[in-house]
Amino acid sequence: MNIDIERLKKNIIKIGSIGRDDTGGISRLAFSEEYNKAAEELKRLFEDNGLKTKIDPIGNVIGSREGDKDLPSIMIGSHLDTVKNGGLYDGALGIFAGLECISTLNDKDIKTNHPIKLVAFNAEEGSEMGGTFGSRVFIGTQYLKEEKLENKLTNYGLSMNDLKESTINSEDVKLFLELHIEQGGYLEQNNIKIGVVNGIAGITRYSINIKGEANHAGTTPMDLRKDALTMAADLLLKIDHISKSIGSPFVSTVGQLSIKPGAVNVIPGEVEFVLEMRDMDRKNIDYLMDEIIKYTNTMDEFQFKFDLLIDKPNVNTDPHITNVIAEICRNKRIEFDIMASGAGHDAKEMAAKVPIGMIFVPSKGGISHSPLEFTSWEDIENGTEVLLETILNLDDL
Ligand SMILES: [Zn+2]
């Protein structure tokens, strides 16, 4: 079934103009004035397309299209907020592709059995409450007992009651679908048009502290040093080597490192860095940590301390939904591949309570979170048509 790519284009560019700066980047940060303006505009747009629409207390925009029968909803969505100086497509594309599917159903006067709900989430990219806040609260996995949460909420003019009022009954949802840009270069490099996502990688972060001995840079001979930084450098290369041997989709990154005392003429006595690991298979993460600990145990001159900071398990998409999406691509003769997502998404939170499916479209150069983020209209058209057919297929009773 053909969608109207010109209409989709017009809508995404219209909302994309809110928060746009001189560099062409978009800053529609969660809870900002720009976000609220975009949410109001989006609500009007949803209503113009026949959706009964509300903005919940935490800023999620929810549009509903009635179904023929009294059944749980097919839900589609992604996030409306952006990072600072972000691009046009991250998040927004999933919302506007969903809207275009609904407008096409309206044009063709097609009624579905299930109601369809379209959700634009707030605060996926982050706020003081952490990433994917909008979807976590929405589906009810926000940890309500978290200490200090209430204080953080106050900074946004929110209360615990607002969270409660923003949480839906997950039994009213049959499944959740999210179309998103890949944010990596795999699809483009391999000339594949659609990524059918089979899961979203888990994230584990450790803080690793290495203690050696700070000393005078001029008077301490090389063989008498306990330089925590050269030890860290050695360990980082080891980590890189093991990580490469594990193979894709496993990735590990050290993007933050601090050196103490941090003076040009003092041998570093202490180094601390954060190691982040992502994979679909928990065993690989444990394997790397075991190897690191085994290796550091042989380094008698240094003391090592490992602190687990974050441990979020991977989630799988629903196998039936994944098969349906793949089958639609096959029938439409669109090049596709089954792949894991290295980035977290709202769908990952939704998966805690409902079956999910995800469709990736190519990102030019694998770039995102930048004004240079780009996906061609042709790829968007393909992806949106696959999304629409997925909805219709899963609507069957
Ligand atoms: Zn995103």
Side-chain angles (χ1 to χ4, degrees), residues 78-79 81-82 89-92 124-125 178-181 183 343-346 358 368-369 373:
S78 195
H79 58 100
D81 67 314
T82 69
Y89 311 88
D90 180 4
E124 192 267 354
E125 301 287 5
E178 182 169 7
L179 180 146
H180 203 282
I181 54 168
Q183 299 180 285
H345 293 289
D346 292 304
M358 276 198 90
S368 77
H369 287 186
E373 192 176 275

Side-chain angles (χ1 to χ4, degrees), residues 22 32 34 41 121 133 149 180 218 248 258 298 313 322 324 326 334 338 356 370 378 381 394:
D22 297 343
S32 66
E34 291 78 16
E41 191 74 30
F121 292 112
F133 177 69
L149 178 63
H180 203 282
S248 196
S258 78
T298 65
T322 308
V324 166
I334 297 173
I338 311 276
I356 62 155
S370 151
E378 196 192 328
E381 187 171 11
L394 295 169

